[in-house]
């Protein structure tokens, strides 16, 4: 076991755990936008910074990537940490001034509603955290989306921004996106879903009759997991 201190509280942790993991296990809240249990941490959003002291050195690190160490002293809310978080948030807000999630965080952290930096011309909501791209690639295994262009024009899209041929319409990218940037529309009846420029027909549950998943997603699961389609005909609630 490893002994460390987080916000003056003595804590035991397993070797290999990150500061963020240990903090969460011990009820210490550290804000994040790009952290999710289903994908590896990437340190993209930089909001989870904490101040650490190891020996005589103190420095600010991203807690989602930094591993715990014996004798480590962690401060999750020092003035230095809060200043870095506010600056990061102001930069994110300048890129995505329309994001409700960012505005909420800004108000919680006392960041001025008036942007300190010039807002992005397109008013997009994407903070370029890569959560959607990594989920599509690593969790779903489809790689239907990626980053295109460079600098301020960089954005998430399908190859050549055309209707995706590989997307299965699962919506995992939209569900995991922390800022609500990815648009997914479902018809009122629920019989179809549109995402990344393609409309997917939804399958109905053979028990309750409700639409529950895109047919393409079920076909993909059937093929990759070698499960007969008839075994995938019932929704999660009716199983
Ligand atoms: S669309 Fe959402 S999940 Fe994808 S990079 Fe942008 S903010 Fe992150």
């Amino acid at each position: 076991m490893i002994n460390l201190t987080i916000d003056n509280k003595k804590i035991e942790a397993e070797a290999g755990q990150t500061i963020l993991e240990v903090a969460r296990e011990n009820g210490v809240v550290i804000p994040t936008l790009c952290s999710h249990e289903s994908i590896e941490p990437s340190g993209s959003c930089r909001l989870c910074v904490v101040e650490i002291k190891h020996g005589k050195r103190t420095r600010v690190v991203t807690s989602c990537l930094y591993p715990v160490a014996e004798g480590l002293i962690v401060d999750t809310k020092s003035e230095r940490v809060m200043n870095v978080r506010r600056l990061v948030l102001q930069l994110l807000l300048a890129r995505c001034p329309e994001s409700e999630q960012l505005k909420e965080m800004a108000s919680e952290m006392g960041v001025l509603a008036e942007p300190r930096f010039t807002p992005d011309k397109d008013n997009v909501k994407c903070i370029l955290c890569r959560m959607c791209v990594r989920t599509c690639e690593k969790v779903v295994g489809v790689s239907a989306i990626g980053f295109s262009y460079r600098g301020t024009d960089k954005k998430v899209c399908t190859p050549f921004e055309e209707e995706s041929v590989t997307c299965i319409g699962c919506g995992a990218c939209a569900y995991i996106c922390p800022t609500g940037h990815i648009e997914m529309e479902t018809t009122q009846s629920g019989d179809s879903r549109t995402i990344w420029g393609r409309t997917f027909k939804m399958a109905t549950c053979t028990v309750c009759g409700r639409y529950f998943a895109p047919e393409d997603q079920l076909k993909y699961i059937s093929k990759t997991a070698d499960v007969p389609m008839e075994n995938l005909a019932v929704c999660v609630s009716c199983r």
Side-chain angles (χ1 to χ4, degrees), residues 125-133 147 156 173 176-179 181-182:
K125 291 193 211 155
C126 177
I127 58 167
L128 302 176
C129 67
R130 289 187 70 89
M131 298 265 283
C132 53
V133 175
F147 280 114
V156 180
C173 53
I176 206 159
C177 174
T179 60
H181 174 67
I182 298 172

Side-chain angles (χ1 to χ4, degrees), residues 51-60 80:
E51 189 167 2
I52 58 161
K53 187 169 184 210
H54 208 197
K56 287 184 184 162
R57 266 183 93 198
T58 64
R59 59 193 174 120
V60 172
R80 195 173 164 200

Side-chain angles (χ1 to χ4, degrees), residues 196-223:
W196 297 115
R198 238 182 95 191
T199 299
F200 296 85
K201 197 165 178 291
M202 301 293 276
T204 45
C205 169
T206 49
V207 177
C208 68
R210 276 185 302 201
Y211 294 107
F212 72 104
E215 288 179 355
D216 282 21
Q217 181 181 2
L218 298 180
K219 282 182 204 154
Y220 174 77
I221 296 170
S222 169
K223 193 172 152 202

Side-chain angles (χ1 to χ4, degrees), residues 82-234:
M82 294 312 286
N83 283 341
V84 174
R85 278 193 203 142
R86 285 190 198 104
L87 177 65
V88 169
L89 204 45
Q90 281 163 341
L91 288 164
L92 291 175
L93 267 173
R95 179 175 167 81
C96 314
E98 300 299 313
S99 165
E100 290 305 320
Q101 290 81 353
L102 290 181
K103 284 195 233 172
E104 225 170 83
M105 277 185 136
S107 120
E108 280 165 19
M109 280 191 221
V111 172
L112 292 177
E114 278 302 304
R116 184 171 151 195
F117 304 98
T118 313
D120 187 275
K121 58 183 185 326
D122 293 329
N123 280 351
V124 292
K125 291 193 211 155
C126 177
I127 58 167
L128 302 176
C129 67
R130 289 187 70 89
M131 298 265 283
C132 53
V133 175
R134 291 191 301 135
T135 301
C136 188
E137 182 193 341
K138 308 274 185 206
V139 181
V140 186
V142 168
S143 296
I145 50 175
F147 280 114
S148 290
Y149 309 104
R150 285 171 189 270
T152 52
D153 292 330
K154 192 170 179 178
K155 66 173 176 178
V156 180
C157 55
T158 53
F160 306 105
E161 294 191 62
E162 288 174 0
E163 193 179 276
S164 172
V165 284
T166 46
C167 181
I168 55 171
C170 68
C173 53
Y175 295 125
I176 206 159
C177 174
T179 60
H181 174 67
I182 298 172
E183 286 176 11
M184 181 168 73
E185 281 173 16
T186 306
T187 51
Q188 206 170 8
S189 65
D191 65 344
S192 71
R193 164 189 288 179
T194 303
I195 187 166
W196 297 115
R198 238 182 95 191
T199 299
F200 296 85
K201 197 165 178 291
M202 301 293 276
T204 45
C205 169
T206 49
V207 177
C208 68
R210 276 185 302 201
Y211 294 107
F212 72 104
E215 288 179 355
D216 282 21
Q217 181 181 2
L218 298 180
K219 282 182 204 154
Y220 174 77
I221 296 170
S222 169
K223 193 172 152 202
T224 50
D226 201 15
V227 178
M229 278 298 277
E230 51 269 30
N231 291 7
L232 300 168
V234 178

